[in-house]
Amino acid sequence: MSKRALITGVTGQDGSYLAEILLDKGYEVHGTIRRGSTFNTQRIDHIFQDPHDDQIPFHTHYGEMTDASNISRLIEDIEPDEIYNLAAQSNVAVSFDQPQYTTDTNALGTLRVLDAIRESRIDTRFYHASTSELYGGQTSEPLNEQSPFRPRSPYACSKLYAHWITINYRQSYGLHASNGICFNHESPRRGKRFVTRKITRAVAKINAGYQDKLYLGNLDAKRDWGYAPEYVEGMWQIVNQDDPDDYVLATGETNTVREFATKAFEVIGIDITWEGDGVDERGIDSSTGEKLVEVDPRYFRPNEVDTLIGDPTRAETELGWKAETSLDGLVERMVQNDVDKVETEGEVGLDYL
């Protein structure tokens, strides 16, 4: 009999990739989508099938992290063997504008799922999508499972509660509940409000003549960027360990936003030269002298996280997991995907949410 999995937030980048790999592994997969986001199903449209066919392995359900009764009902009806809690308000910048919604969704939403598991007494394994933002960019040294947390945004604070309540329910009630402390992981399916996709979309539009310039915030921010499909495989490995625990998933390397943008323009044959400092810094096409990148202070965060780099040693040793895709390979894959979409569908081809 095949295993049954429930993925909250299945329409997101990670949810869509996770659904694919679980289906490949023979799972029956159930995913939640928000009623107001039914138009945002592009990432799973290719695996969606006729809901009237009772033999299909993939099912979607309306589900809100802010609705405890809805969550409980889904868990009791589906009786999943594994639950992957990926639904979240995951944009750090937005969390400063919507701190209460972010906290209700991310922190209390995770509690609602855990409490539904406890009350239902269903034998299931739980994965919570934790985040490197918990660390707060306190050091340039690689961060591991024992490194202290110092969150610097409402998003990170909400995730800190979710991280610790997962541990608390594991220790208090014996749940098979684990955290994956994932450092930044990207893909062509990344939402356009995230800086990596913002960069690759802009490069594709500039290449096609739809856009003149890219505006960015903190060019010096350093992140540990990996490839999302590899990270969701790690999520599955965490859940399928005999004993629940918490693991860092990361590449162990870090690069600046400036470097990411430089590599993105290289994919379309443009060599960027950087001139100026601070808000006056510009990215210039070295062959034409055209200013293609500028800094806009509106994109600065109220509390910046300067550097994030993870130490994935434990995941590599205990899970056998390793990030394989280089930053160059990741950037090329993302830019080429956006360039191809512009060529075949025009500017509208880049309208991922």
Side-chain angles (χ1 to χ4, degrees):
M1 184 176 179
S2 63
K3 285 186 177 181
R4 188 179 299 122
L6 171 62
I7 303 170
T8 68
V10 74
T11 59
Q13 170 189 257
D14 291 2
S16 64
Y17 283 123
L18 180 59
E20 288 177 350
I21 72 163
L22 292 180
L23 289 169
D24 287 343
K25 294 177 186 295
Y27 280 64
E28 177 185 317
V29 177
H30 296 256
T32 67
I33 60 176
R34 297 180 62 240
R35 183 172 294 276
S37 296
T38 52
F39 58 87
N40 184 24
T41 60
Q42 300 102 318
R43 298 182 184 96
I44 60 169
D45 282 345
H46 63 291
I47 55 176
F48 183 79
Q49 300 178 55
D50 185 352
H52 301 99
D53 183 352
D54 59 8
Q55 300 300 312
I56 64 173
F58 181 67
H59 310 265
T60 57
H61 310 265
Y62 289 121
E64 296 280 353
M65 298 300 288
T66 56
D67 187 339
S69 62
N70 172 239
I71 292 171
S72 295
R73 183 170 59 254
L74 285 174
I75 290 175
E76 291 177 359
D77 290 347
I78 297 169
E79 296 187 348
D81 298 288
E82 298 169 9
I83 297 175
Y84 296 85
N85 185 43
L86 309 185
Q89 192 301 99
S90 57
N91 190 293
V92 175
V94 169
S95 76
F96 285 100
D97 294 326
Q98 295 185 303
Q100 292 184 40
Y101 173 74
T102 299
T103 300
D104 194 12
T105 302
N106 299 354
L108 297 182
T110 301
L111 173 61
R112 292 177 185 112
V113 177
L114 287 164
D115 218 40
I117 294 170
R118 181 181 67 85
E119 291 186 353
S120 69
R121 302 183 183 276
I122 291 172
D123 183 16
T124 188
R125 297 186 174 197
F126 175 81
Y127 171 88
H128 171 250
S130 199
T131 172
S132 59
E133 290 284 333
L134 299 181
Y135 296 112
Q138 60 200 285
T139 176
S140 60
E141 295 299 315
L143 299 156
N144 61 30
E145 293 82 1
Q146 283 71 51
S147 300
F149 298 138
R150 295 189 179 93
R152 291 186 177 178
S153 67
Y155 167 76
C157 290
S158 70
K159 281 290 192 174
L160 181 64
Y161 177 90
H163 180 94
W164 280 111
I165 201 65
T166 297
I167 294 173
N168 182 268
Y169 269 59
R170 179 172 75 216
Q171 296 174 341
S172 299
Y173 304 114
L175 300 187
H176 195 293
S178 302
N179 289 294
I181 308 173
C182 293
F183 281 66
N184 297 67
H185 47 288
E186 318 298 319
S187 76
R189 297 182 190 176
R190 175 55 93 182
K192 64 184 180 182
R193 296 185 185 278
F194 292 81
V195 68
T196 52
R197 187 80 197 297
K198 177 180 179 180
I199 291 170
T200 64
R201 289 175 79 249
V203 167
K205 286 185 177 183
I206 290 170
N207 185 59
Y210 289 117
Q211 186 169 323
D212 297 325
K213 196 173 297 183
L214 165 64
Y215 292 93
L216 295 171
N218 182 8
L219 295 172
D220 292 314
K222 301 179 75 174
R223 295 293 184 269
D224 183 328
W225 280 301
Y227 183 43
E230 295 170 358
Y231 284 62
V232 298
E233 179 70 29
M235 296 173 191
W236 177 81
Q237 290 176 287
I238 290 171
V239 167
N240 282 276
Q241 287 292 289
D242 290 337
D243 298 316
D245 214 330
D246 311 315
Y247 294 88
V248 165
L249 300 182
T251 70
E253 299 180 3
T254 189
N255 291 270
T256 64
V257 171
R258 183 187 298 102
E259 289 169 329
F260 192 103
T262 301
K263 292 176 183 294
F265 277 102
E266 286 175 354
V267 176
I268 61 169
I270 294 178
D271 178 35
I272 294 291
T273 300
W274 298 92
E275 297 181 359
D277 297 302
V279 295
D280 296 320
E281 186 169 1
R282 303 288 184 267
I284 298 172
D285 184 336
S286 60
S287 65
T288 67
E290 185 179 3
K291 295 177 182 178
L292 297 181
V293 186
E294 291 192 14
V295 173
D296 187 339
R298 287 179 296 181
Y299 298 126
F300 292 160
R301 295 177 184 173
N303 198 1
E304 290 282 356
V305 173
D306 299 319
T307 302
L308 288 173
I309 178 172
D311 176 5
T313 300
R314 188 157 180 253
E316 292 175 355
T317 302
E318 297 184 14
L319 303 177
W321 178 89
K322 185 176 177 61
E324 301 288 351
T325 302
S326 67
L327 181 62
D328 286 344
L330 170 65
V331 174
E332 182 175 5
R333 187 176 270 129
M334 292 179 68
V335 172
Q336 194 58 56
N337 178 79
D338 284 340
V339 168
D340 291 345
K341 281 186 172 295
V342 169
E343 289 180 352
T344 58
E345 304 173 44
E347 190 176 12
V348 70
L350 299 180
D351 282 343
Y352 275 120
L353 297 176

